[in-house]
Amino acid sequence: MPQPKKDKPDTPLRSDAQRNRERILAVATDELTHCANAPLSAIAKKAGVGQGTFYRNFPNREALVLEIYRYGMQQVAEAAPEMLAAGEPDVALRQWMDRLAEFAMTKAGLADAIRLVTSAPGAPQKPRPTPLEDAAELLLRANHEAGTIRPGVTGDDFFLVLGGLWLIDPGENWQSRVTRFLDLVMDGLRAGAPGR
């Protein structure tokens, strides 16, 4: 008897399957942010999908948590070229910093869930932030070419300074603190820019 044909991993999902996957990710992000041990069955029910659909997309908790993190990073990274295409490089950089900060603050509650799934022996590693690093390099390069930030700022410099984001409590009123912090960072990047 012939075996059923399996989809290749890079085969695009049908639109309804893609919507189900995105709905699961959205609900899981919210649920796991509030409770790192939220039951997967409750996430599936709240997302309006059956257990089979849920486990076809995410065979275990580890796969779900790491995909939430990876998916969020990818969304932030993909915003960089769009922002560059829509405006001046320094404006795009500042807008992207806001987007990155929102990712950092809203995913802070997932830190416990990520720690739980990556700390066990033989567990998968937390995804590297490579897409974010690539997006930052793209924005910094555009700003260097336009003369809108000081010369010589590297991606490492940029993320070292932005490390201060992780010191901000993601609880109440993080938005105003983050805005002040990012305005200071942007002022520092612009200081000594040749085009100013």
Side-chain angles (χ1 to χ4, degrees):
M1 190 165 150
Q3 292 294 320
K5 191 176 178 182
K6 292 186 178 180
D7 288 341
K8 294 178 183 175
D10 58 353
T11 302
L13 295 174
R14 293 184 333 257
S15 60
D16 60 333
Q18 183 64 36
R19 281 192 301 274
N20 284 341
R21 183 177 177 80
E22 289 175 2
R23 197 165 51 249
I24 292 167
L25 286 170
V27 170
T29 299
D30 188 50
E31 293 296 306
L32 292 171
T33 297
H34 293 98
C35 175
N37 289 316
L40 299 184
S41 58
I43 293 170
K45 184 175 181 179
K46 198 164 186 179
V49 299
Q51 296 290 315
T53 298
F54 182 91
Y55 285 107
R56 240 187 332 274
N57 281 281
F58 306 103
N60 53 46
R61 179 176 296 274
E62 292 83 3
L64 175 64
V65 170
L66 294 177
E67 180 60 13
I68 290 169
Y69 186 72
R70 189 207 64 74
Y71 181 76
M73 276 197 305
Q74 194 61 43
Q75 298 292 100
V76 175
E78 288 173 1
E82 295 168 9
M83 291 174 176
L84 266 178
E88 296 298 317
D90 58 335
V91 173
L93 177 60
R94 182 61 182 83
Q95 289 172 336
W96 188 77
M97 288 164 50
D98 282 335
R99 186 78 180 266
L100 178 63
E102 182 182 355
F103 170 71
M105 294 296 111
T106 57
K107 298 297 182 279
L110 280 176
D112 288 338
I114 292 168
R115 224 178 343 272
L116 281 173
V117 302
T118 59
S119 62
Q125 290 187 340
K126 180 178 168 183
R128 294 206 20 87
T130 306
L132 298 179
E133 293 165 349
D134 293 344
E137 290 290 349
L138 173 73
L139 289 159
L140 293 172
R141 191 168 43 254
N143 276 277
H144 282 128
E145 290 168 5
T148 50
I149 63 172
R150 65 188 314 137
V153 177
T154 68
D156 287 341
D157 297 334
F158 180 73
F159 282 109
L160 184 61
V161 172
L162 285 185
L165 278 174
W166 282 262
L167 299 175
I168 297 173
D169 182 356
E172 292 188 30
N173 201 22
W174 60 263
Q175 291 91 343
S176 62
R177 293 201 66 201
V178 164
T179 297
R180 280 195 315 275
F181 172 72
L182 294 179
D183 285 345
L184 286 169
V185 170
M186 199 67 208
D187 287 347
L189 289 170
R190 287 178 172 139
R196 291 211 160 269

